[in-house]
Amino acid sequence: MGEGHKLSGGCLCGSVRFTATMAKPEMDVCHCDMCRKWSGGVLMTVPCTDVAVADETNLAVYPSSEWGERVFCRNCGTSLFWRQRSGEGHVAVAFPSLDDPSDLVFAEEIFIDEKPDLYAFAGERRRKTGEQVIAEFHAAQEGRT
C-alpha cells in the first residue's frame, strides 16, 4: 500500500461511507487542544486527497479555525476528517474510521508543544510544534495565491 492507494471507510452507524486517495502511506497524530477535545484523545489521521462521500446527508461540518474544519457524522458523532477550509489541499482522514488501516507507518506528531505530559508515544518520528505547523499552513496558502 503506498501513495495513490484508494482507502475506504465510514462512521460507527454506517450512514456515512467514503473513499479517499492516500497522499502518503503514513499515520500522523495531532496533540492540539482542539483535536484532543474533538476526538476524545489524540487525533490519528492519514493524509489524503480526493475524498468522496457516498451520501452527504449525515455529514456535519464544524469550522474550528480560520484555516480548518472538522467533518463528522451528524447521526453517531464519529470524527471523519479534518480539512482545509479553502476546500483545496490537505485532508486528514481519521485513522479509526478506515476499513483497513494496515501497512501504514506512524510518521509524525504535530502540536507536540500542546501534548500533556502524562503520555508519550515510543519511537522516533517527525515532531513539530504548533508554531511550525501554522507557519506551514500560512506558507501553503500564500503559495496558492
Side-chain angles (χ1 to χ4, degrees):
M1 182 185 325
E3 183 178 329
H5 180 78
K6 281 285 189 187
L7 299 171
S8 63
C11 66
L12 179 62
C13 72
S15 63
V16 177
R17 296 290 305 159
F18 65 87
T19 59
T21 303
M22 188 168 37
K24 295 185 259 183
E26 64 182 51
M27 187 218 38
D28 302 321
V29 167
C30 183
H31 298 283
C32 82
D33 292 337
M34 284 189 284
C35 282
R36 286 186 289 112
K37 287 180 182 179
W38 182 52
S39 69
V42 296
L43 181 62
M44 299 174 155
T45 63
V46 177
C48 291
T49 61
D50 303 320
V51 176
V53 176
D55 179 0
E56 296 190 7
T57 305
N58 286 308
L59 269 190
V61 178
Y62 176 69
S64 56
S65 69
E66 70 183 70
W67 61 84
E69 59 190 17
R70 294 156 195 283
V71 182
F72 56 97
C73 175
R74 73 173 69 249
N75 192 37
C76 67
T78 299
S79 302
L80 297 169
F81 323 119
W82 180 97
R83 65 185 180 198
Q84 289 179 294
R85 288 182 70 180
S86 66
E88 301 173 12
H90 182 71
V91 178
V93 173
F95 176 79
S97 70
L98 296 174
D99 294 333
D100 181 12
S102 59
D103 298 326
L104 297 171
V105 175
F106 184 5
E108 183 173 72
E109 295 179 66
I110 62 171
F111 286 86
I112 196 71
D113 52 323
E114 293 185 30
K115 182 187 78 59
D117 291 336
L118 63 102
Y119 70 84
F121 291 108
E124 291 302 314
R125 66 197 53 83
R126 296 183 309 266
R127 290 182 172 92
K128 296 177 184 174
T129 65
E131 184 177 331
Q132 291 169 316
V133 172
I134 291 169
E136 287 177 7
F137 280 132
H138 285 302
Q141 286 177 339
E142 289 173 7
R144 280 196 302 262
T145 57

